[in-house]
Amino acid sequence: MTLPLKDIIDLNFFLGLDDEPENADTNTIASRDREIFRQLKNGDRLDDPGLIGQWLKYRRRLFFQETGNGGPGARPPGGLFDSFYTWASRWFLGCGLAAGAIGAYSFLAYHGSRPVNVTLFISVFILLPALLCLTAGFVGFRQFRSGHAGSGLTGVMHRVSMRLFIDKFRGRLQKWAVPVQKHFPKFSKDAGDLLRIDTRPFQSLLFWPVFIALSLGALGFSAGALGGTFFRITVTDMAFGWQSTLFTSGESVHRLVTWMAFPWSWAMPDIFVPSLVQIEGSRIVLKEGISGLASEHLAAWWPFLCMGLVVYTLIPRIVLVSLAYAARTSTLARFDLSQPGYQRLLMRMRTPRMGMEIKETGGSRAEFRAPLPRPEPEPMVEKDEKLVIFPQPEPIINPPEPKPDPKPEPTPDPKAAPEPKAAPAPQPPVIEDEPRIKKTKPRALVLGSALGFEENDMEQILAGLEQQFGIQVSGTVGIHFDFDEDQDQIAAQVEKLGQGPLIVLQEVWQPPIRGLLYYFVQIRQMLPESPLWIVMIQTMEVGEKNVAPSDVNFQVWKSAVNQLNDPLMIIERWVSP
């Protein structure tokens, strides 16, 4: 099962609500998620996306019941985004159609004295859109190959696109939502919830909706230009000509036109490719004018121009939009649900909880009574004991009975019908001990202070990490927070680990100074494909390690890490199961 983008947005929204300071009761949240799992039918047969999808259905109902916003038209942020994006895509497509049609119709304005410049039309409506389409295809291909905002050129392009089309757009919407709130408070409240969502966990998924919307706008422009050109040619007697200082002969222009018409020259070349005579007959010389040019030569360019619009602008855009939709589906299918926040939710649902409650019956208690006195033992009286001998019975010898002679077994008749076999006795059903959903736990490498690893019980800490995030700790590295000293040990362990996450145990009371943050950045640069989880704990010592969401130090750390704008650098807090 693949989670759609609106479900991923709602998932991060509800998880963000659970992390707010007023919802810091972890026992209540764990009991709620476990109760949701118990209400599911065959919940143990669902994979991670299916289980999260079912959790979202119940969670939306609970949210509307708690907030009282379950009236008609009520939508969580994911549904609001889906509706807004649908209308925005239609708006981009419609604006592109209008711009292309009006632009081509205005460009082809012909008043009988000056023909339309073919060179300028090809440059504006064919070559420029084709180059933009090629550039967009290159950017989309690099984004699909990378999968997330990594390093190098792909990471730079991804961050620039997110900065221009996501952050700026969200900031503009936040300003627009202020006056709207006076007249539509319900819509403004939902829009505010959508705009305040932390998009870093799924930021790579937002690239494709923006890419598709812009591509639909470009597709609409090319389609509108084709429609405006064909309409202008249909209702107007058009004249096309060419002029150039560089190309002084018709043969050079004919070779260039033949090369451009290669994709469709095999189909009726006499119509869709102007001949050498028609090209030479449509050349405009300023001192001579157009009085000596033939009308059939001036009108021979329009089939070539229309086919150029179809082949170089319209068809590539259709293919690019189709590939972008497929890439968006593939990216959603590859969405990483092994992030700590999602794994913590899955562990809360699948882990049984044991509780003990003492109920007051309200009955009266019995009055205290002194224990009864113990009776004194009676005195022992000695008696004469005599030996009693019982007579033993005489042995009885039974002779063995003679065995009867074995009777010969009857020979079965091959023509006789076989006797029906007795039905086997019913056996109890066999219950499999193995889980119905076999899930491979991701392997993780835990980094922490070398001094803390030596002085504390690491088995308890590693067991807590595995129980919280559903991971398998493959190794530990004691670090000194000096990259030159630690990089060799970390690299050696990562070669054995593979592509699993790196977990850094960081005490929350230490301030996030620049040197410490730069240490984390260096680890990400050394291992660009490995996620880095910074788990905040109170102390490495045995005792209370929980970090509340309202902790001031945790909020400072969260703000500092988020400013690094690295989607694979995730900050989490220790929550005892």
Side-chain angles (χ1 to χ4, degrees):
M1 177 181 177
T2 301
L3 289 176
L5 182 56
K6 64 177 182 179
D7 285 353
I8 296 176
I9 293 176
D10 285 344
L11 174 62
N12 287 270
F13 171 70
F14 290 129
L15 292 180
L17 290 181
D18 293 341
D19 288 338
E20 290 184 355
E22 57 268 18
N23 298 328
D25 189 359
T26 57
N27 292 329
T28 303
I29 295 175
S31 300
R32 178 204 65 196
D33 295 339
R34 181 59 183 175
E35 183 63 25
I36 292 176
F37 179 81
R38 293 177 59 187
Q39 293 180 8
L40 297 178
K41 184 178 181 181
N42 297 329
D44 52 351
R45 297 180 180 270
L46 298 175
D47 56 356
D48 290 352
L51 189 57
I52 289 179
Q54 295 296 325
W55 180 83
L56 283 173
K57 292 181 180 180
Y58 283 87
R59 190 68 181 89
R60 291 187 184 105
R61 298 175 188 174
L62 293 177
F63 174 73
F64 289 139
Q65 292 176 3
E66 294 171 358
T67 58
N69 295 333
R75 295 181 181 179
L80 184 64
F81 171 82
D82 188 64
S83 177
F84 174 77
Y85 176 71
T86 301
W87 285 104
S89 301
R90 296 175 181 176
W91 184 81
F92 271 99
L93 181 61
C95 290
L97 284 170
I102 294 174
Y105 188 84
S106 302
F107 187 87
L108 295 176
Y110 173 62
H111 303 287
S113 59
R114 189 175 182 179
V116 177
N117 193 333
V118 175
T119 307
L120 189 59
F121 183 91
I122 293 174
S123 301
V124 174
F125 292 97
I126 297 179
L127 292 182
L128 182 60
L131 290 176
L132 292 177
C133 182
L134 184 63
T135 304
F138 173 74
V139 173
F141 176 75
R142 293 296 299 268
Q143 172 65 25
F144 180 75
R145 288 289 302 273
S146 64
H148 50 75
S151 58
L153 179 61
T154 303
V156 172
M157 291 189 300
H158 184 276
R159 286 189 288 271
V160 169
S161 61
M162 292 296 103
R163 180 65 178 170
L164 292 178
F165 300 113
I166 299 298
D167 296 341
K168 293 294 185 182
F169 184 66
R170 291 178 62 189
R172 182 62 60 183
L173 284 181
Q174 288 176 353
K175 293 182 180 179
W176 290 345
V178 174
V180 175
Q181 187 177 7
K182 299 179 180 179
H183 305 284
F184 304 97
K186 178 66 174 59
F187 174 79
S188 180
K189 173 64 171 57
D190 296 341
D193 294 339
L194 174 61
L195 296 175
R196 285 192 297 269
I197 293 178
D198 185 11
T199 60
R200 275 179 295 269
F202 56 95
Q203 194 175 61
S204 60
L205 301 179
L206 297 177
F207 174 85
W208 294 110
V210 175
F211 185 86
I212 291 174
L214 296 178
S215 299
L216 287 175
L219 175 62
F221 180 85
S222 299
L226 178 62
T229 301
F230 191 76
F231 179 78
R232 191 68 152 171
I233 292 172
T234 303
V235 300
T236 308
D237 184 15
M238 298 295 301
F240 297 92
W242 65 277
Q243 54 184 351
S244 175
T245 305
L246 299 178
F247 298 99
T248 58
S249 63
E251 290 83 359
S252 301
V253 178
H254 182 262
R255 286 195 299 269
L256 180 61
V257 169
T258 304
W259 179 79
M260 290 184 62
F262 176 77
W264 67 86
S265 58
W266 54 272
M268 292 183 290
D270 298 337
I271 299 177
F272 295 105
V273 182
S275 62
L276 178 60
V277 177
Q278 293 172 339
I279 292 175
E280 291 179 346
S282 60
R283 181 181 181 182
I284 303 173
V285 181
L286 296 179
K287 64 180 182 178
E288 297 178 1
I290 64 172
S291 58
L293 302 179
S295 300
E296 60 272 12
H297 296 166
L298 295 175
W301 283 95
W302 73 265
F304 171 80
L305 297 178
C306 290
M307 288 300 297
L309 287 172
V310 172
V311 172
Y312 289 107
T313 63
L314 193 60
I315 294 179
R317 279 293 176 181
I318 294 176
V319 173
L320 187 62
V321 171
S322 302
L323 293 177
Y325 274 105
R328 184 184 67 174
T329 304
S330 177
T331 305
L332 288 173
R334 293 184 290 121
F335 181 66
D336 185 16
L337 287 176
S338 64
Q339 300 184 27
Y342 308 144
Q343 287 299 315
R344 179 173 287 166
L345 168 63
L346 294 171
M347 292 299 294
R348 288 199 303 261
M349 297 180 69
R350 288 173 172 156
T351 303
R353 295 182 59 82
M354 181 178 296
M356 181 180 296
E357 297 181 359
I358 301 176
K359 297 182 179 181
E360 296 290 342
T361 58
S364 59
R365 296 184 177 180
E367 297 180 358
F368 175 77
R369 295 181 180 180
L372 297 176
R374 298 182 62 182
E376 297 181 0
E378 298 181 357
M380 298 291 295
V381 179
E382 296 183 359
K383 297 182 180 180
D384 295 337
E385 296 182 357
K386 295 181 180 182
L387 183 60
V388 180
I389 300 177
F390 293 94
Q392 297 182 357
E394 296 181 358
I396 301 175
I397 301 176
N398 295 327
E401 297 181 358
K403 296 183 179 179
D405 297 336
K407 297 181 179 180
E409 296 182 0
T411 305
D413 188 3
K415 298 182 179 181
E419 297 181 359
K421 296 182 179 180
Q427 300 292 334
V430 179
I431 301 177
E432 298 180 358
D433 295 334
E434 299 180 359
R436 298 175 181 176
I437 295 295
K438 295 183 179 181
K439 179 184 176 183
T440 303
K441 294 183 179 181
R443 300 164 60 95
L445 179 65
V446 179
L447 313 179
S449 173
L451 182 61
F453 279 7
E454 295 176 358
E455 297 181 352
N456 297 281
D457 184 10
M458 287 306 301
E459 293 183 0
Q460 179 188 7
I461 296 177
L462 299 181
L465 289 174
E466 293 181 356
Q467 192 170 2
Q468 287 184 74
F469 304 116
I471 59 175
Q472 179 183 357
V473 178
S474 62
T476 59
V477 177
I479 58 177
H480 302 83
F481 294 96
D482 185 355
F483 184 74
D484 295 334
E485 184 178 358
D486 300 335
Q487 60 176 340
D488 294 336
Q489 297 182 4
I490 297 175
Q493 291 292 332
V494 168
E495 290 181 0
K496 304 177 183 178
L497 173 65
Q499 296 295 330
L502 276 71
I503 301 178
V504 179
L505 297 177
Q506 176 63 46
E507 296 180 351
V508 72
W509 58 269
Q510 296 181 356
I513 58 177
R514 292 185 179 180
L516 194 55
L517 294 176
Y518 183 64
Y519 177 80
F520 298 146
V521 172
Q522 286 177 309
I523 294 178
R524 286 284 299 116
Q525 292 176 353
M526 181 181 66
L527 305 169
E529 301 297 329
S530 299
L532 180 63
W533 300 356
I534 304 175
V535 179
M536 310 303 299
I537 61 176
Q538 290 291 348
T539 178
M540 291 287 292
E541 299 178 358
V542 178
E544 184 64 30
K545 296 183 178 62
N546 285 357
V547 176
S550 58
D551 193 323
V552 177
N553 296 324
F554 173 69
Q555 296 297 331
V556 173
W557 266 99
K558 188 175 182 179
S559 176
V561 173
N562 291 340
Q563 287 179 2
L564 298 177
N565 198 21
D566 188 347
L568 292 184
M569 187 182 298
I570 304 170
I571 183 168
E572 274 291 337
R573 57 187 180 89
W574 184 283
V575 178
S576 296

